[in-house]
Amino acid sequence: MVKKRKISPASSQLQQCLTSQEIQQYCFEKISAKKRNKIFTHLNIQKCRRCIDMYHLVENSNHQDRPEFDLGVEFKLSMIEKMKNQKIDKFPCNIPLRIEKGQIWTISTEIRDINNQVVSKQETGIPVLVFFPGNKTKGLDNYIHVFPLSFDTEFQMEKESCVVKITDELSLLCEIFNEKTILARNLYEFKWIVPDKECEKILKIHEDFINEQEKKRDLQYELWKQKEVEIAELFSLPKVITTNQIRLEQIKKAADSSDFELTDYQFYPLIQMDDWSMTIVQKRDILFLQFICDKPILYSLKIDNQIRKMIEKTKGDFEMELFKINNLPQLVEISIVIKGKELIFKPHFKQN
Amino acid sequence: MGTKFIEALIKKYKGLEYDEVYYFNSILSIMKNAYKARYPHIYIGVNPNDNKAKIEKTNFSNENGTVIVEFETFASWCMDKLVAQKLEQKSYFKSFQNDNQLARYFYKAFENLLIEEIAKLTPGLSSRIKQIDKALKDHCDFDDLQGKKYFRLKKLYTVPVTKEKLFEIAATFQQPEFKYPKKKDAVNNPSIRKNDMQAYLLDIIRQCGGMVFRNDMISLIKERYGYKTLSIVSPSALRKKDGDISENNYFEDFLSVQDSGSNDFCLGQEHYSMALELHDQMDNIMKDVYYYRRVQGFKTQKTAGILVCSVGTVNNLEKAINVCISEYFVTDLGEANHLEQKNQTTPEEINAVLYLLNHLLLEERMN
């Protein structure tokens, strides 16, 4: 039996939890429909254990009647002194010139799109670990890949996440299952750098994770995971998923027919835009991915969750080998991040 | 809203110079707010050596389970949480829109801390409270009467028994025994079988006439099983805001609400207002049909028999009820200031409001 975790899945990172004052307003005062709806959902649909307990605790009392109080001066001074003398771990105060793999940054509370427009505002921004820094700048269209980090180390799950030690007593949970592509400009403050060795270990777990089938775990964990994914989607690039079927043509061999055309290519377009396109090309018994663009565009490509690079054959014509026909998987996931969006294609292959 | 507080925190963890007094005072005011929200009925005396406060502190170490920690103790816990338990460091690894958001983050953590720490002061009791709630969940309504939570046998309408009467009645029943773990080195606390506890509690409630206050029930269990508060942290500098506060107010602390286990909705003031409005929009015959069909779950024919009318009339009235409900939630009927409220009501909230309406009608009939 799975041991129950202490943290309520809906309370992850305390981010969406309510204060007792907010719950009190909900219980005894007139509030806006939006706020009421948000609190109702958190209590009754997400069923946050922590906030339900708070709901039962609140009392209807007149706050204005409560007199102000203060601590004794001596006590106050002793607390300040204690705070001063406490040994704390210091964090780096430099700002790195370039974004590098292994850096931990916080996400900005104002999320901007590729046109530098604010698309959403969050109350808090979570930390992320950069594992693919793109062109290493905070430039307009630099796409980077990150793992969100959380404080909920209780939810560590083998092969899906790992604990990153920051100081002797502070660790963060690296959510390998929750990898996201973001615009580098949405990084806010540099906080820490994970040593290379530990970074390699994380990337190895990630590699294992993408090569393995995702398993369903206990409900409490799944609820938490879903919440974390939702939080990360607030700052990651919007995704557009397209599923289609590709019926591959039979390629004749020279010996089969006298009228055989040796340059017999088949094209299966995935997307065609005004200034760029992406196509799967069948060249005899090999499948290639072709990307054509009018003028240089920054993009980032992943095939089955692995970051890949294409070779520029001629100017604006990129290509990479996907599979040999006799080694063809049933499904492939091609993800391209371009012009502020992540387009995911999931073609199913069928052979004639 | 500025970012002075955030900047102080960041500077502190970067080893830069920061305004320590400002930072501490900000933290202190968050602690105060978290404390006041938990104990709104008391306040901290300015002078901890006040003799009157000293006399009154005995009032707080009562036997009914109330544990009130003094503010200085709470402040020390918070300081420990901030530094030793790395709350500050965690905040350093987040970005906040403004100082208010950082304060909110600390506030929630302090609220949790107060609840957790008080729970530790009476070990074992929180499990018993959870068990009481679970045992009574299917048999009792769990609601509140003038701010005091109660258990009432389902579909029974009566008045709550006094605490003294409850204790008197309970004295005639033998409480179920503890089951101790067989293993010598077991770390679990002794348990009580759910069925035994359920039967015991229900017997008492029935004997009491069907309704008891939840806090009184917890007091009873605490007394019968001899749960002791390990260290009563007496509120040296605390005293009552005004003289006449009932015992139940003091008891209304975390202990009484740990994991209510109830499947009921957690509703707000607006939901009650909506249910009342909806109730007032129905005429008497509609209420009758609603009650028999939806609250009691009677068939159309039976409802028609009770109301001495045709099945067709019941069907028509049901349609009218549906129209009334749907119009209430989607059109601009009703008071203008409720328009915005209703239009943003989700299906789940509508269900919750209808659940309240059921209760209203049921209560109306029982009275």
Side-chain angles (χ1 to χ4, degrees):
Chain A
M1 199 178 130
V2 183
K3 195 183 166 198
K4 283 223 166 181
R5 296 163 188 89
K6 283 183 194 162
I7 309 170
S8 169
S11 299
S12 56
Q13 310 210 22
L14 276 187
Q15 202 145 316
Q16 307 194 345
C17 281
L18 311 159
T19 64
S20 50
Q21 286 163 341
E22 286 168 321
I23 297 174
Q24 187 159 37
Q25 284 175 344
Y26 171 76
C27 288
F28 306 111
E29 291 168 28
K30 196 167 167 55
I31 52 171
S32 72
K34 197 178 163 194
K35 202 167 177 184
R36 184 202 70 218
N37 195 258
K38 185 185 154 201
I39 300 176
F40 177 89
T41 305
H42 191 63
L43 292 171
N44 298 287
I45 296 167
Q46 297 172 340
K47 292 190 184 295
C48 173
R49 198 67 256 160
R50 180 239 178 230
C51 293
I52 290 174
D53 284 347
M54 285 292 168
Y55 173 86
H56 291 299
L57 280 170
V58 295
E59 294 169 33
N60 193 6
S61 65
N62 192 347
H63 287 253
Q64 277 115 39
D65 282 358
R66 281 189 241 156
E68 269 305 305
F69 62 87
D70 208 352
L71 289 171
V73 178
E74 271 179 38
F75 179 78
K76 231 168 151 177
L77 288 174
S78 75
M79 294 283 271
I80 295 177
E81 200 55 34
K82 199 176 157 193
M83 199 170 72
K84 271 189 197 170
N85 296 335
Q86 267 159 340
K87 201 174 158 260
I88 57 165
D89 300 296
K90 302 274 185 345
F91 296 111
C93 47
N94 60 315
I95 301 168
L97 289 172
R98 292 188 167 275
I99 302 168
E100 298 283 355
K101 183 173 79 178
Q103 287 175 352
I104 293 178
W105 290 72
T106 54
I107 292 288
S108 169
T109 52
E110 281 190 350
I111 306 299
R112 290 169 185 273
D113 65 8
I114 194 154
N115 302 316
N116 207 22
Q117 299 295 312
V118 177
V119 283
S120 69
K121 280 187 182 181
Q122 307 301 325
E123 288 164 354
T124 54
I126 62 165
V128 292
L129 171 73
V130 177
F131 77 95
F132 178 75
N135 66 15
K136 303 189 178 189
T137 68
K138 274 198 172 189
L140 283 182
D141 50 359
N142 182 26
Y143 307 110
I144 60 169
H145 297 272
V146 298
F147 296 125
L149 298 166
S150 98
F151 306 119
D152 304 339
T153 47
E154 273 196 32
F155 286 94
Q156 189 202 349
M157 188 63 77
E158 201 189 349
K159 294 179 182 172
E160 293 201 352
S161 57
C162 67
V163 170
V164 180
K165 191 177 160 192
I166 305 291
T167 63
D168 282 347
E169 283 161 74
L170 178 71
S171 298
L172 298 175
L173 186 68
C174 181
E175 298 176 353
I176 287 164
F177 65 86
N178 200 10
E179 180 221 323
K180 289 281 178 269
T181 309
I182 66 167
L183 279 172
R185 70 166 60 176
N186 284 324
L187 293 179
Y188 181 62
E189 268 188 323
F190 169 72
K191 295 292 178 184
W192 188 251
I193 185 146
V194 175
D196 283 347
K197 216 175 159 186
E198 198 159 356
C199 206
E200 291 310 318
K201 193 185 86 187
I202 294 167
L203 292 178
K204 175 77 184 64
I205 299 172
H206 181 236
E207 207 178 302
D208 293 345
F209 172 75
I210 52 184
N211 290 328
E212 271 199 28
Q213 284 271 323
E214 213 173 328
K215 284 180 196 160
K216 279 267 170 211
R217 317 281 181 159
D218 62 284
L219 180 67
Q220 205 190 4
Y221 176 75
E222 290 298 333
L223 287 172
W224 170 83
K225 194 170 153 182
Q226 189 190 330
K227 199 103 205 81
E228 289 299 294
V229 171
E230 281 169 19
I231 290 173
E233 274 168 3
L234 297 173
F235 59 81
S236 62
L237 291 172
K239 282 183 182 175
V240 182
I241 301 176
T242 315
T243 312
N244 57 345
Q245 198 179 64
I246 292 180
R247 201 170 275 275
L248 299 172
E249 291 298 324
Q250 192 80 48
I251 300 290
K252 295 171 191 168
K253 289 178 182 163
D256 294 343
S257 166
S258 54
D259 58 353
F260 176 66
E261 295 168 43
L262 281 174
T263 54
D264 193 7
Y265 290 178
Q266 294 295 331
F267 295 92
Y268 308 101
L270 291 175
I271 186 165
Q272 275 182 313
M273 304 301 283
D274 288 347
D275 50 353
W276 67 276
S277 68
M278 197 160 69
T279 310
I280 290 180
V281 183
Q282 182 183 3
K283 292 181 184 174
R284 296 188 208 166
D285 56 351
I286 302 174
L287 284 187
F288 289 86
L289 185 68
Q290 185 186 54
F291 175 79
I292 297 174
C293 54
D294 283 354
K295 49 187 177 200
I297 310 177
L298 270 181
Y299 68 93
S300 158
L301 181 77
K302 280 193 291 181
I303 308 288
D304 284 335
N305 269 317
Q306 309 248 26
I307 297 164
R308 302 281 290 269
K309 284 215 159 165
M310 296 178 105
I311 301 157
E312 190 164 15
K313 279 176 61 193
T314 54
K315 201 172 179 219
D317 182 0
F318 297 81
E319 194 179 80
M320 65 169 283
E321 186 181 318
L322 279 179
F323 310 103
K324 295 226 168 7
I325 298 278
N326 57 8
N327 208 6
L328 190 68
Q330 273 199 324
L331 173 80
V332 64
E333 187 178 304
I334 301 165
S335 149
I336 183 162
V337 178
I338 187 164
K339 295 195 164 184
K341 272 187 190 157
E342 184 174 6
L343 306 169
I344 301 169
F345 302 93
K346 293 182 174 178
H348 291 257
F349 296 111
K350 218 163 183 189
Q351 294 193 51
N352 271 335
Chain B
M1 179 55 68
T3 54
K4 196 178 169 188
F5 184 38
I6 299 173
E7 280 157 23
L9 169 82
I10 290 174
K11 279 182 181 170
K12 178 177 178 181
Y13 277 88
K14 282 187 171 171
L16 305 170
E17 207 173 299
Y18 69 103
D19 187 343
E20 285 153 349
V21 176
Y22 167 80
Y23 184 71
F24 177 78
N25 283 335
S26 305
I27 297 263
L28 186 65
S29 70
I30 302 167
M31 288 177 196
K32 277 183 193 171
N33 286 336
Y35 187 82
K36 281 202 286 187
R38 182 71 289 278
Y39 298 130
H41 46 279
I42 54 172
Y43 77 96
I44 314 292
V46 175
N47 179 5
N49 300 318
D50 182 349
N51 282 336
K52 197 177 172 208
K54 270 188 183 173
I55 294 162
E56 281 177 347
K57 82 179 182 187
T58 52
N59 292 339
F60 290 82
S61 54
N62 51 38
E63 292 166 6
N64 66 3
T66 306
V67 180
I68 298 173
V69 292
E70 61 182 356
F71 182 72
E72 289 181 8
T73 307
F74 174 59
S76 303
W77 286 343
C78 291
M79 293 306 287
D80 194 50
K81 177 89 184 171
L82 282 167
V83 181
Q85 293 180 47
K86 311 291 174 194
L87 180 65
E88 273 181 335
Q89 282 194 3
K90 285 179 182 175
S91 318
Y92 176 82
F93 277 89
K94 274 181 172 270
S95 45
F96 296 91
Q97 204 175 48
N98 53 41
D99 285 350
N100 206 20
Q101 296 306 331
L102 174 59
R104 198 167 177 264
Y105 185 73
F106 282 156
Y107 181 93
K108 285 186 273 187
F110 292 161
E111 276 183 333
N112 289 355
L113 178 72
L114 187 54
I115 290 177
E116 283 161 20
E117 290 301 318
I118 294 173
K120 287 178 192 164
L121 295 175
T122 316
L125 185 60
S126 56
S127 322
R128 252 344 36 85
I129 294 170
K130 280 181 193 173
Q131 191 177 31
I132 295 172
D133 288 327
K134 275 187 185 161
L136 296 177
K137 187 172 81 175
D138 298 332
H139 301 271
C140 293
D141 289 327
F142 175 50
D143 217 327
D144 67 278
L145 181 69
Q146 290 163 358
K148 285 153 74 176
K149 309 272 180 334
Y150 64 76
F151 294 116
R152 184 175 58 191
L153 291 175
K154 289 216 163 168
K155 295 191 179 178
L156 187 79
Y157 285 86
T158 178
V159 286
V161 73
T162 63
K163 189 177 167 187
E164 291 71 30
K165 189 79 185 157
L166 169 71
F167 274 62
E168 196 185 308
I169 290 168
T172 60
F173 291 92
Q174 181 61 43
Q175 75 264 26
E177 284 178 9
F178 272 135
K179 300 281 170 214
Y180 291 90
K182 283 178 186 164
K183 282 182 190 170
K184 268 186 178 177
D185 54 351
V187 288
N188 292 344
N189 287 326
S191 61
I192 299 168
R193 283 203 191 101
K194 185 191 165 191
N195 289 350
D196 295 349
M197 182 59 112
Q198 190 176 53
Y200 173 66
L201 296 175
L202 286 173
D203 280 347
I204 293 174
I205 296 178
R206 280 189 201 109
Q207 205 61 36
C208 289
M211 188 171 173
V212 293
F213 281 120
R214 186 166 173 274
N215 286 339
D216 294 346
M217 187 60 105
I218 295 165
S219 301
L220 174 78
I221 294 300
K222 192 180 179 217
E223 190 254 358
R224 296 305 293 261
Y225 286 95
Y227 283 108
K228 293 277 182 284
T229 297
L230 278 185
S231 52
I232 295 171
V233 185
S234 55
S236 60
L238 304 175
R239 63 189 172 93
K240 289 186 222 176
K241 187 173 74 182
D242 38 44
D244 194 23
I245 293 173
S246 77
E247 205 174 56
N248 259 303
N249 266 356
Y250 288 117
F251 189 66
E252 189 63 31
D253 70 355
F254 89 98
L255 293 173
S256 57
V257 295
Q258 284 282 294
D259 193 6
S260 73
S262 167
N263 285 330
D264 290 342
F265 292 106
C266 296
L267 302 174
Q269 182 63 44
E270 293 293 339
H271 299 116
Y272 287 94
S273 308
M274 284 194 254
L276 271 173
E277 265 190 29
L278 203 48
H279 174 268
D280 293 345
Q281 279 184 19
M282 286 190 200
D283 57 30
N284 285 342
I285 185 74
M286 280 161 93
K287 283 178 196 164
D288 284 341
V289 171
Y290 189 98
Y291 174 74
Y292 289 116
R293 291 283 291 127
R294 302 202 185 179
V295 181
Q296 293 293 348
F298 291 169
K299 290 192 172 163
T300 320
Q301 209 149 12
K302 191 173 176 183
T303 307
I306 295 169
L307 298 175
V308 201
C309 64
S310 70
V311 169
T313 309
V314 173
N315 285 335
N316 286 341
L317 282 164
E318 271 209 277
K319 277 181 199 160
I321 291 168
N322 287 339
V323 170
C324 175
I325 292 170
S326 56
E327 278 183 350
Y328 179 80
F329 287 110
V330 297
T331 71
D332 56 356
L333 289 178
E335 285 175 43
N337 61 352
H338 267 288
L339 177 61
E340 183 220 10
Q341 303 286 332
K342 285 183 291 185
N343 285 347
Q344 290 195 28
T345 315
T346 61
E348 291 85 2
E349 279 188 289
I350 294 175
N351 276 342
V353 172
L354 295 180
Y355 162 89
L356 284 178
L357 181 64
N358 287 1
H359 267 251
L360 270 175
L361 289 169
L362 187 65
E363 206 144 344
E364 208 170 64
R365 307 277 141 160
M366 293 300 178
N367 291 334

